[in-house]
Amino acid sequence: MISNSLLGPLVSAGIIGVGKALPDNAVSNQDIVDMGLDTSDSWITERTGIKNRYIADENTSSVDLATIAAKRALEDAGIEVDSLDGIIVSTTTPDYSMFPSAACLLQSRLGARNIFALDVSAACTGFNYALSTGSQFVRTGQMKTVLVVAVDCLSKFVDWTDRSVCPLFGDGAGAVIVSEVKEGYGVLTIDLSSDGRYGDILKVQAGGSRQPMTQDSFDNKDHLIQMAGRAVFKTAVSKLVPSIRSVLEKYELSVEDIGTFVFHQANIRIIEFVKEKLGIADEQLYTNIHKYGNTSSASIPIVLDDKKSSFKDGELVMLIGFGAGFAWGVNIVKWGGRL
Ligand code: ACO
């Protein structure tokens, strides 16, 4: 008989702890105007919903923020680092462009055992991909407890003279501890998608194997984020509305059955558009983009951390990610059920 076989009974895998970390440096819309950009607080607020964001200084990296968020999630779960069997980090801004992975660096920083450590790259949808991956290791019994961290420092890859991109992004990290929960609780659904035909609408041109970094690409700012804002907006809403509807239909749920919709905090107008289309009520929606800007894959777990004390036991929470790739994903989590 093989012990720890993949054929063992499935268990329910859920979130038992949440934490977040933000850099110290708050940057308001007015601060961006004061940098000399031809923009205004009212333009940024009306078009994006953003009032403030936190920006990592030159000494702060993604793994620095991930370490703080992870420690807070461990504390929230009331478990020691030795309990972890795996670490998954969602990031597109790891400390090093190729290797070592952010997850390996985080394993060392936390003083964790020699456990599974993996980076996931799915841009702003990364938390959905990472949570889905981690929860399946727990569900199959291969791991008891997995740390899932989403962290991004996109501010280091924006052109701070480009008013159409730089006001959008903030830096941050969110972390969750995934472990066995009572039957029927936890991550109930996994619905992940991609459409690579839209790769060009949000991209970093240089620094990969297609166009390794050269002096020319640096001078052209090809290592910084390029975004076709209107195309991103249209693609996001055209993918999200049918995707959320089909998930609800597949699991025989209605919009009213969901307690809280947690969207990736990209732009308040994308969120409002989907809200109107689906008939989501005000009290079913929680947003914090005004405080933190778009923190990429960290935005969903940062919302979870801000909101965690008000989720009810058994509440259905829908997590909706979308972004570069184009990739998008929807998970429904039944909150609570701690064993
Ligand atoms: N302040 C003042 N004017 C601005 C600014 C600014 N910060 N940014 C752009 N403009 C100007 C443009 O230069 C343009 O001027 P012009 O007409 O003289 O050429 C005008 O505003 C309109 O530009 P658009 O890009 O068409 O403006 P739009 O209304 O589409 O708003 C925005 C831009 C906010 C980026 C919008 O397209 C959007 O929300 N897109 C979604 C992108 C997004 O959410 N990205 C987040 C990252 S992706 C992700 O996480 C999924």
Side-chain angles (χ1 to χ4, degrees):
M1 183 72 180
I2 306 172
S3 65
N4 201 21
S5 152
L6 277 171
L7 302 176
L10 298 178
V11 302
S12 294
I15 294 172
I16 63 160
V18 190
K20 71 168 178 294
L22 295 153
D24 295 332
N25 183 23
V27 175
S28 69
N29 292 346
Q30 189 56 44
D31 291 332
I32 290 178
V33 176
D34 294 344
M35 288 173 196
L37 269 79
D38 182 14
T39 187
S40 63
D41 174 36
S42 61
W43 196 99
I44 299 170
T45 306
E46 280 162 25
R47 303 291 178 112
T48 71
I50 300 166
K51 299 289 286 181
N52 185 71
R53 74 284 293 144
Y54 292 87
I55 301 297
D57 65 25
E58 59 186 21
N59 298 314
T60 304
S61 73
S62 290
V63 173
D64 293 334
L65 295 177
T67 305
I68 299 168
K71 285 181 178 170
R72 288 177 177 158
L74 286 165
E75 192 183 336
D76 189 48
I79 63 168
E80 299 296 326
V81 69
D82 286 346
S83 310
L84 295 179
D85 302 308
I87 297 174
I88 302 178
V89 176
S90 155
T91 187
T92 45
T93 58
D95 285 22
Y96 302 104
S97 66
M98 291 170 61
F99 40 74
S101 70
C104 282
L105 295 174
L106 183 58
Q107 177 272 337
S108 162
R109 289 281 287 278
L110 291 173
R113 292 178 292 114
N114 297 153
I115 52 175
F116 170 99
L118 169 77
D119 280 8
V120 164
S121 171
C124 301
T125 320
F127 182 71
N128 297 79
Y129 275 81
L131 176 68
S132 301
T133 307
S135 67
Q136 289 186 91
F137 278 115
V138 173
R139 180 148 173 75
T140 54
Q142 291 301 296
M143 297 182 194
K144 282 206 169 316
T145 307
V146 177
L147 166 66
V148 174
V149 186
V151 59
D152 277 299
C153 288
L154 290 184
S155 76
K156 293 177 189 266
F157 300 91
V158 299
D159 177 355
W160 281 95
T161 65
D162 180 354
R163 66 178 183 174
S164 64
V165 176
C166 76
L168 302 177
F169 297 106
D171 303 327
V176 298
I177 307 294
V178 180
S179 197
E180 184 178 352
V181 289
K182 284 183 204 157
E183 200 182 331
Y185 279 80
V187 179
L188 303 185
T189 73
I190 293 174
D191 195 85
L192 304 170
S193 293
S194 64
D195 189 341
R197 291 174 304 164
Y198 295 93
D200 279 342
I201 64 177
L202 191 49
K203 127 169 136 176
V204 176
Q205 182 67 35
S209 61
R210 170 70 54 195
Q211 189 179 326
M213 186 69 86
T214 60
Q215 188 61 49
D216 274 354
S217 56
F218 181 80
D219 293 343
N220 288 336
K221 300 185 177 176
D222 287 342
H223 60 300
L224 302 178
I225 295 170
Q226 296 165 0
M227 182 183 74
R230 291 204 162 194
V232 170
F233 193 107
K234 278 190 196 155
T235 309
V237 298
S238 71
K239 301 295 186 193
L240 289 181
V241 173
S243 182
I244 295 169
R245 280 201 180 118
S246 87
V247 170
L248 289 170
E249 228 168 76
K250 188 169 159 189
Y251 299 100
E252 297 178 353
L253 293 167
S254 66
V255 167
E256 293 73 34
D257 292 322
I258 304 298
T260 305
F261 287 84
V262 177
F263 285 87
H264 162 46
Q265 305 289 294
N267 183 308
I268 198 69
R269 291 190 305 142
I270 294 176
I271 297 172
E272 291 288 344
F273 184 97
V274 177
K275 171 180 179 264
E276 293 307 315
K277 280 273 175 212
L278 295 174
I280 295 168
D282 288 348
E283 56 276 15
Q284 289 174 286
L285 187 65
Y286 180 84
T287 63
N288 59 15
I289 189 170
H290 57 291
K291 292 198 277 185
Y292 309 121
N294 177 350
T295 55
S296 193
S297 70
S299 81
I300 290 177
I302 288 175
V303 168
L304 294 181
D305 190 67
D306 277 10
K307 182 86 173 93
K308 66 188 177 195
S309 55
S310 53
F311 287 134
K312 297 181 192 74
D313 187 71
E315 175 173 346
L316 295 185
V317 180
M318 184 182 272
L319 312 178
I320 304 141
F322 54 96
F326 208 84
W328 65 100
V330 178
N331 296 101
I332 300 174
V333 177
K334 185 169 177 175
W335 201 261
R338 183 81 192 256
L339 287 169

